Amino acid sequence: MASHRRPKQPSRARVTVLTATAAAAVALSSQAAQAAEPKPSKEDVKEKVDKLYEDAEKANEKYVGAKEAQGKLQKQVDAIQDKVARGQDELNDLRDGIGSMASAQYRTGGIDPAVQLFLSSDPDSYLEKASTLDQVSAKQADTLQQIQSKQRTLAQQRQEAQGKVKDLADTRKQLGEKKDEVRAKLADAQKLLNTLTAQERAALVKEDESRASRSGGSTARADLGNSVPASQRASAAFSAAQGKIGTPYVYGASGPSSFDCSGLTSWAYAQAGVSIPRTSEAQANAGSRLGMSQLQQGDLVIFYGDLHHVGFYAGNGQVLHAPKPGASVRYEAIGNMPFQFGVRIG
């Protein structure tokens, strides 16, 4: 008879050694991977952060546009619902009126009018009543027509309200998505900046300010030459924006203590008594377009192919704008960004 022996099990000591060896191998592999991925340079970080800020600004302008659309849609929904409520009250009044007339007719009895005339001891009095009954019937028919018309109107208004409510829900969804996108881009940018030392981050800020003012002057003071304002209102708007130099950039902000790019321009023109759209894309279509050689102080300047950035033309090749996170409202050389066209607000 063959003997059956249990396989020899590895000793506990051997298992411990194997486990420790595997852990060491994983640690060495991790260290090797880290060694293979060197720390990004300050220049690489700057390039990636600038791209993330640009993407965040694009999403922010869409967010601001959705927020503005939400406000308008909410007003429209409220107005339509108010109309429906008032129309329903009017319809109820008409129905009450037709009910009262029907009750009055019922109380007069259902005898044929000719028989009532034959039996009447006072034919003249009866004829007066018959005439009044005809008038009541005509009024009743008119009321019924009003009821039908009011019902059709209410049905249309309710359908319109339902459509607006759906649009509002879609806009709110878009609003949330764009807000999350902005936050994600900013978080990624901050992670990259955190890979730098404090000295490297400070150097980036200095380099950015130097780049902004490379055409002369500083970010707070610049040689604007002898530029003539485009109009009295453009001059007033530009002066208002100048008074906000040094105010921090904040996504979605429209003053007075912080701004994004289109928030600054829309706020400044509001101080001049002029209402312009809130987003840079809408502002691009708010007036007559200009080439670079036609720009005058106070004109809007639109940058990037998708029109996601806007500032004021300041004169002598300078713009005044709210640039990006970590920077404040400042002057900057117009050539630092891809110029598209100018816009003169009429």
Side-chain angles (χ1 to χ4, degrees):
M1 176 181 277
S3 61
H4 298 279
R5 296 179 180 178
R6 295 177 62 189
K8 188 177 180 180
Q9 299 296 320
S11 67
R12 180 173 297 178
R14 187 182 177 193
V15 171
T16 303
V17 170
L18 289 173
T19 302
T21 302
V26 170
L28 288 172
S29 176
S30 177
Q31 291 174 3
Q34 290 177 0
E37 297 179 4
K39 175 186 172 182
S41 68
K42 178 164 63 70
E43 289 70 25
D44 288 339
V45 169
K46 180 185 182 307
E47 182 180 353
K48 292 177 180 178
V49 167
D50 284 347
K51 180 64 170 61
L52 285 167
Y53 282 161
E54 183 181 337
D55 290 344
E57 185 172 43
K58 293 178 185 178
N60 176 66
E61 287 297 300
K62 297 295 183 184
Y63 165 78
V64 170
K67 190 174 182 179
E68 190 174 35
Q70 179 188 20
K72 291 178 179 178
L73 280 170
Q74 186 63 64
K75 288 180 181 178
Q76 291 172 3
V77 168
D78 292 344
I80 294 171
Q81 289 178 338
D82 184 56
K83 280 183 182 178
V84 169
R86 284 188 279 109
Q88 187 63 56
D89 288 341
E90 292 171 3
L91 181 60
N92 291 340
D93 289 342
L94 288 170
R95 284 172 172 166
D96 290 344
I98 202 75
S100 298
M101 283 190 283
S103 297
Q105 286 182 348
Y106 178 77
R107 287 193 298 271
T108 63
I111 302 175
D112 182 86
V115 176
Q116 290 185 21
L117 177 60
F118 179 77
L119 297 175
S120 175
S121 59
D122 187 354
D124 291 336
S125 175
Y126 173 77
L127 289 173
E128 287 180 11
K129 291 179 181 179
S131 176
T132 301
L133 187 62
D134 288 340
Q135 292 175 9
V136 169
S137 298
K139 183 178 180 181
Q140 187 175 17
D142 181 60
T143 302
L144 287 171
Q145 288 179 349
Q146 291 182 48
I147 288 174
Q148 290 175 341
S149 176
K150 182 63 68 177
Q151 286 174 327
R152 286 193 297 268
T153 300
L154 281 175
Q156 292 171 354
Q157 289 175 341
R158 287 194 176 102
Q159 185 175 5
E160 183 182 2
Q162 288 174 353
K164 293 294 182 183
V165 168
K166 183 181 181 302
D167 291 343
L168 184 58
D170 292 343
T171 301
R172 283 174 175 162
K173 181 181 177 183
Q174 182 187 11
L175 195 63
E177 290 172 350
K178 291 304 175 184
K179 190 173 185 178
D180 290 342
E181 185 178 349
V182 171
R183 287 175 173 172
K185 298 291 184 185
L186 292 179
D188 289 344
Q190 191 58 54
K191 286 179 183 177
L192 281 169
L193 289 172
N194 289 343
T195 65
L196 302 178
T197 64
Q199 291 80 2
E200 287 174 325
R201 289 195 295 271
L204 280 182
V205 172
K206 287 184 179 180
E207 289 172 11
D208 180 64
E209 290 179 349
S210 175
R211 175 178 176 272
S213 60
R214 67 186 178 191
S215 65
S218 68
T219 56
R221 293 191 303 273
D223 179 8
L224 305 182
N226 298 315
S227 180
V228 178
S231 66
Q232 187 174 354
R233 289 182 294 184
S235 177
F238 180 70
S239 295
Q242 281 182 307
K244 292 300 177 179
I245 289 175
T247 303
Y249 181 104
V250 173
Y251 284 114
S254 56
S257 57
S258 58
F259 299 93
D260 61 19
C261 68
S262 57
L264 175 66
T265 49
S266 59
W267 175 87
Y269 261 102
Q271 308 315 298
V274 180
S275 176
I276 64 173
R278 174 60 177 84
T279 66
S280 57
E281 186 176 356
Q283 289 177 15
N285 297 304
S288 54
R289 295 194 176 185
L290 311 167
M292 190 178 291
S293 63
Q294 299 172 294
L295 292 173
Q296 291 180 249
Q297 195 174 79
D299 286 332
L300 299 180
V301 187
I302 308 296
F303 297 98
Y304 298 96
D306 59 1
L307 317 179
H308 75 260
H309 192 75
V310 62
F312 281 104
Y313 184 68
N316 196 27
Q318 297 275 325
V319 291
L320 177 61
H321 70 146
K324 60 184 178 181
S328 303
V329 175
R330 68 189 186 192
Y331 293 111
E332 185 160 353
I334 195 171
N336 285 354
M337 296 165 286
F339 170 84
Q340 300 302 304
F341 50 84
V343 175
R344 181 159 298 159
I345 303 300

